[in-house]
Amino acid sequence: MTKQVCVVAIVIAIGVWQHHFVLQAASADIYIFGLLIGAGAFGIYQAIHGTHRLAREFTALQAMKEIYGDAIWAERAPQDLLAAQIARTKRDVLVYKQPSALATAHSLIVEEIQRNGTFRIPTATMQVLVADLESKLDDRQGMSHYLGALMVLLGLLGTFIGLMHTLESVGGILGSMDLSGNG
């Protein structure tokens, strides 16, 4: 999250530093410029919001590690389980909402540990869980990739519009030239 905020701050600083160029670009074609700024702002929002949503996944993963640790303590040294849990009460409590990307894996793993006291899930089930997680993360990244490609497309469109304006003005200059040699 810090890197994202730093990158946004650097882009804003460059925009302020080169404000005359930004104003010239905005005045050249306000619609394309507005579309670029809007798409950029939406992309920044999506990236920061997506990163914020991943924090919930990491908290849920920490909670799963604690549940698994309790199961290991119960299996290896049941007499020390209570002491380990009491020692853990000195740390901050992990409170989290149901994860979205890890939802299936979280439910299955926590239920398995609470039901059997161990974590034994078949390899095929683990492969399905990993594939499910990969597809959910790819779906989340899809919007960022789409917005990046949209920004490139809009930049190219702006470049071609600028070239057309340049060619039009060059044509006007050439058309107004006196080629008879009198001048």
Side-chain angles (χ1 to χ4, degrees):
M1 184 82 91
T2 305
K3 289 179 185 178
Q4 290 173 334
V5 171
C6 287
V7 167
V8 170
I10 289 170
V11 168
I12 290 172
I14 290 172
V16 169
W17 177 49
Q18 293 292 323
H19 67 280
H20 58 280
F21 178 73
V22 173
L23 292 175
Q24 184 181 10
S27 65
D29 194 341
I30 192 70
Y31 299 114
I32 295 245
F33 185 78
L35 194 57
L36 275 170
I37 294 296
F42 184 68
I44 290 168
Y45 168 77
Q46 285 291 330
I48 290 174
H49 181 67
T51 303
H52 181 69
R53 282 183 17 199
L54 279 178
R56 194 168 55 190
E57 307 297 325
F58 285 112
T59 305
L61 187 62
Q62 264 317 104
M64 285 192 309
K65 286 180 182 178
E66 286 185 6
I67 293 169
Y68 181 69
D70 285 348
I72 295 297
W73 276 101
E75 187 177 302
R76 293 185 184 160
Q79 68 280 6
D80 296 334
L81 174 62
L82 185 60
Q85 289 174 337
I86 290 173
R88 197 171 60 220
T89 60
K90 295 177 183 172
R91 295 184 306 195
D92 291 337
V93 176
L94 286 176
V95 178
Y96 62 96
K97 293 180 182 178
Q98 176 74 18
S100 56
L102 287 172
T104 309
H106 180 267
S107 299
L108 183 70
I109 291 169
V110 169
E111 285 176 16
E112 176 72 18
I113 290 172
Q114 289 176 344
R115 186 175 344 121
N116 299 329
T118 60
F119 178 62
R120 290 187 179 87
I121 296 177
T123 306
T125 305
M126 289 302 278
Q127 289 172 346
V128 169
L129 292 175
V130 168
D132 179 53
L133 179 62
E134 284 178 351
S135 70
K136 287 179 182 176
L137 291 177
D138 285 344
D139 289 345
R140 286 186 179 185
Q141 287 179 339
M143 179 61 83
S144 297
H145 292 298
Y146 171 74
L147 288 171
L150 177 66
M151 296 293 287
V152 170
L153 176 69
L154 289 173
L156 286 172
L157 183 62
T159 300
F160 286 125
I161 289 173
L163 285 172
M164 288 178 10
H165 285 299
T166 302
L167 288 175
E168 180 182 340
S169 65
V170 168
I173 292 170
L174 290 177
S176 67
M177 290 180 76
D178 183 17
L179 300 178
S180 64
N182 295 333

